[in-house]
Amino acid sequence: MQCLPEPPEPQYGGGIVRNADFSAGLHGWSAFGYGGLAEGASPTGNRYAVATNRTRPYQSVSQKVLLQNDTHYTLSAWLQVSGGVADVRVVVKTGGDFIHAGGVVAKAGCWSMLKGGLTAVSGGSAELYFESNATADIWVDSVSLKPFSKEEWSTHRATSAGTARRKTVRLQATDSAGNPLQGATVSLETIRNGFPLGAAMSREILTNPAYQTWFTSRFTVATFENEMKWYSTEPAPGREDYSVPDAMMEFAKQNGIAVRGHNVFWDDPNQQPRWVQGLPYQQLLAAASRRIRSVVARYAGQLIAWDVVNENLHFSFFERRFGWDASTAFYAAARLLDSGSALMFMNEYNTLEQPGDMAALPGRYMQRLKQITSGYPENGAGMAIGLEGHFTAPVNIPYMRAALDTLAQAGIPVWLTEVDVAGGPSQAYYLEEVLREAYAHPAVQGVILWTAWRPQGCYVMCLTDNDFNNLPQGDVVDQLITEWTTAPRAGTTDEQGFFQAELAHGEYKVTVTHPSLNASVSQSVKVELGSGSHYFIHV
């Protein structure tokens, strides 16, 4: 995320890009779109390309490359503009398509890193180039396009998941004097998986036992699809009705399901209660103040998270009415009203899903996050990154990973909050790819599927039919829940009283029996990232 005085060397030596660091001048590079192309050099002697005389967005520097069929590519470059600040994105032009592979907010005076990627569905000749709606010169250096077979990608992902989500632990059984118990039988049973995987929930769950059974047997966290939104709880001015979300909260508590608060405000003007849209300033201020005090105070201490201002990269209803710092004020107020452990999320779409959406670039997200935390209590403590994840096929998995890498630099929790994949024959396949990619990334701390069931159909993606029989997407979810949960296991302690096992993060019931005991002894053990790996079971 830093803007550097000089760019680093190209990643992977540039991959398949020729003369990636421009040490051979402009050899291998061309002007794209009938613009100008020149060689630039810094006072230290670093050489780079400069796209000049730009009057159209696509006029820039380019290189022709040969793509391999069915292959993932990571893509990176360091960019600068001749003046001001400009959004710059990279495009890969194939025989029949223009593939957006990433973007960055480039500045004058320093180099910014564009980190992205793409999947080549078919092989053949392609051309890589950059574009920007600004007419400033674009400076380009340290370009890399590195291919990975899907097998290589999956292997790396599995290794990362093992590091991020599992741990080898040693359980030691000892007697009351602290002496190790050899030959004790140790059994392990999962109480709760350490990776929160949940789903959106609709009000239908209150009256449908089959929905209740299906949901509670799988998920540990939920988001109410619409029931907590302003237009649901205050359909007319001053006429508040929380009976439905209250009942859903009670259901969640009874079944040990954590809940995310969605949402306090929505910055989309079309998603306001009808009576709110035309209010004059003072009345809108009073209504918004009443809203945040009402909903946050009501559920304070009961939720794990709040989506405080939904989609404030794409929309600006409250900023247009109250000023540029409206979101900042709302986040600060929410923290004061719920001062507990609930995370306060920015929640946005297309930051993971669409590299061509310049409004939602990871860099834009980070800028907005910094703006909000600048006026937030304790310098942003308790803030979190919410990425909706409404994907279309084919899903750009390399870009998803690149975006997560960039956002992870904020050092705060990241959740995928509304995951679905558009319908089609590959829906289940791409859902599995998205979930595996999220699970393997160490910055991701939870996933919510946007699959609330209603008889008339789900928002985009259902997991079951109306009889709660799994669709292929539901089979994927069940398969991953099983895979990510440690199955019950048992073993015998060695001469030092140790039993060793590799476990997924989570909470376990450990039961120890020994020939010298008349009964078994059970203890709860939490296996977490960063905690110790040696546990004592005193018998």
Side-chain angles (χ1 to χ4, degrees):
M1 291 306 300
Q2 292 179 320
C3 199
L4 303 180
E6 296 285 355
E9 291 298 312
Q11 287 191 311
Y12 306 111
I16 63 172
V17 174
R18 304 178 306 283
N19 188 23
D21 61 356
F22 297 91
S23 58
L26 299 176
H27 176 73
W29 295 91
S30 304
F32 188 86
Y34 304 103
L37 179 60
E39 181 182 341
S42 71
T44 62
N46 178 60
R47 302 166 76 179
Y48 51 87
V50 181
T52 63
N53 302 322
R54 299 184 60 256
T55 58
R56 300 185 183 280
Y58 52 80
Q59 291 175 328
S60 70
V61 56
S62 74
Q63 185 173 124
K64 292 184 178 179
V65 294
L66 186 64
L67 300 181
Q68 301 173 34
N69 179 53
D70 202 30
T71 301
H72 290 318
Y73 287 84
T74 62
L75 195 157
S76 62
W78 287 82
L79 300 165
Q80 189 174 159
V81 290
S82 58
V85 176
D87 294 338
V88 181
R89 64 184 171 192
V90 61
V91 182
V92 177
K93 178 186 176 185
T94 64
D97 201 4
F98 292 84
I99 303 171
H100 296 133
V104 69
V105 182
K107 304 172 184 177
C110 59
W111 293 89
S112 298
M113 185 185 188
L114 183 157
K115 185 175 174 67
L118 71 151
T119 300
V121 178
S122 58
S125 178
E127 190 166 9
L128 178 155
Y129 69 96
F130 303 87
E131 66 179 22
S132 175
N133 288 329
T135 56
D137 293 352
I138 300 175
W139 301 4
V140 180
D141 202 358
S142 294
V143 184
S144 174
L145 186 64
K146 170 67 174 175
F148 293 90
S149 70
K150 289 190 174 179
E151 291 74 20
E152 289 174 320
W153 195 272
S154 295
T155 298
H156 177 273
R157 184 165 62 192
T159 301
S160 180
T163 303
R165 310 297 176 196
R166 303 184 72 84
K167 178 184 288 188
T168 299
V169 301
R170 301 183 78 203
L171 300 162
Q172 186 179 34
T174 61
D175 62 20
S176 57
N179 301 311
L181 284 176
Q182 182 180 2
T185 299
V186 179
S187 62
L188 295 165
E189 181 181 350
T190 301
I191 298 173
R192 194 176 187 89
N193 194 300
F195 184 78
L197 177 63
M201 177 192 292
S202 75
R203 64 188 298 164
E204 302 289 341
I205 204 163
L206 298 175
T207 56
N208 191 315
Y211 187 13
Q212 294 173 2
T213 300
W214 177 83
F215 195 101
T216 58
S217 65
R218 287 163 173 80
F219 300 121
T220 58
V221 62
T223 301
F224 302 165
E225 185 183 35
N226 296 310
E227 290 78 5
M228 203 179 282
K229 293 172 182 174
W230 194 1
Y231 57 65
S232 296
T233 61
E234 194 177 1
R239 200 184 82 205
E240 293 185 331
D241 182 358
Y242 286 96
S243 59
V244 173
D246 282 354
M248 294 172 72
M249 276 295 302
E250 185 59 30
F251 172 82
K253 289 177 184 178
Q254 290 175 357
N255 290 279
I257 296 170
V259 177
R260 300 184 69 260
H262 179 75
N263 49 54
V264 180
F265 293 111
W266 198 341
D267 236 348
D268 185 347
N270 295 320
Q271 300 295 338
Q272 309 304 320
R274 290 182 180 178
W275 59 271
V276 164
Q277 296 175 2
L279 289 178
Y281 176 87
Q282 288 295 341
Q283 292 182 33
L284 179 60
L285 185 63
S289 178
R290 183 174 68 246
R291 161 63 179 174
I292 194 169
R293 289 198 306 267
S294 173
V295 69
V296 178
R298 187 180 195 90
Y299 298 114
Q302 303 179 64
L303 304 176
I304 62 169
W306 286 102
D307 293 332
V308 180
V309 184
N310 207 42
E311 299 174 356
N312 62 1
L313 288 179
H314 286 95
F315 305 108
S316 55
F317 175 79
F318 293 101
E319 284 75 12
R320 291 203 313 271
R321 301 298 301 277
F322 295 146
W324 66 269
D325 58 347
S327 286
T328 302
F330 287 146
Y331 279 88
R335 179 81 287 167
L336 292 173
L337 289 163
D338 188 348
S339 58
S341 59
L343 296 172
M344 302 289 166
F345 278 80
M346 277 183 62
N347 194 46
E348 194 56 68
Y349 66 91
N350 280 358
T351 304
L352 281 187
E353 310 95 304
Q354 296 294 341
D357 187 346
M358 303 304 281
L361 289 176
R364 287 288 182 208
Y365 194 112
M366 296 285 269
Q367 284 182 341
R368 190 72 160 133
L369 179 67
K370 184 177 180 180
Q371 181 189 72
I372 289 170
T373 56
S374 67
Y376 186 84
E378 302 176 20
N379 196 31
M383 283 291 294
I385 291 172
L387 307 168
E388 293 182 13
H390 296 294
F391 292 91
T392 56
V395 175
N396 188 337
I397 291 295
Y399 180 75
M400 176 183 171
R401 185 180 293 185
L404 288 172
D405 286 345
T406 300
L407 294 164
Q409 302 307 305
I412 61 177
V414 177
W415 279 59
L416 275 63
T417 56
E418 303 182 15
V419 172
D420 55 31
V421 177
S426 301
Q427 186 179 41
Y429 166 78
Y430 283 117
L431 175 63
E432 181 175 350
E433 285 292 291
V434 167
L435 294 178
R436 287 192 181 280
E437 199 67 33
Y439 184 76
H441 201 288
V444 177
Q445 296 192 11
V447 172
I448 301 291
L449 299 160
W450 209 243
T451 53
W453 178 84
R454 285 175 268 111
Q456 62 271 32
C458 307
Y459 176 67
V460 166
M461 182 181 76
C462 285
L463 299 181
T464 71
D465 62 20
N466 280 356
D467 293 320
F468 295 95
N469 299 308
N470 270 0
L471 299 172
Q473 302 82 256
D475 287 338
V476 164
V477 172
D478 284 355
Q479 170 197 335
L480 293 180
I481 290 173
T482 300
E483 181 181 323
W484 297 342
T485 303
T486 301
R489 61 184 60 188
T492 305
T493 57
D494 62 18
E495 63 274 10
Q496 297 299 317
F498 283 110
F499 171 70
Q500 182 170 299
E502 184 186 87
L503 305 176
H505 296 168
E507 185 177 356
Y508 292 86
K509 178 184 177 183
V510 182
T511 302
V512 178
T513 60
H514 190 267
S516 64
L517 298 175
N518 293 324
S520 60
V521 173
S522 295
Q523 181 174 317
S524 176
V525 168
K526 282 190 175 181
V527 178
E528 300 172 314
L529 183 68
S531 64
S533 58
H534 189 164
Y535 299 87
F536 294 96
I537 312 296
H538 297 291
V539 178

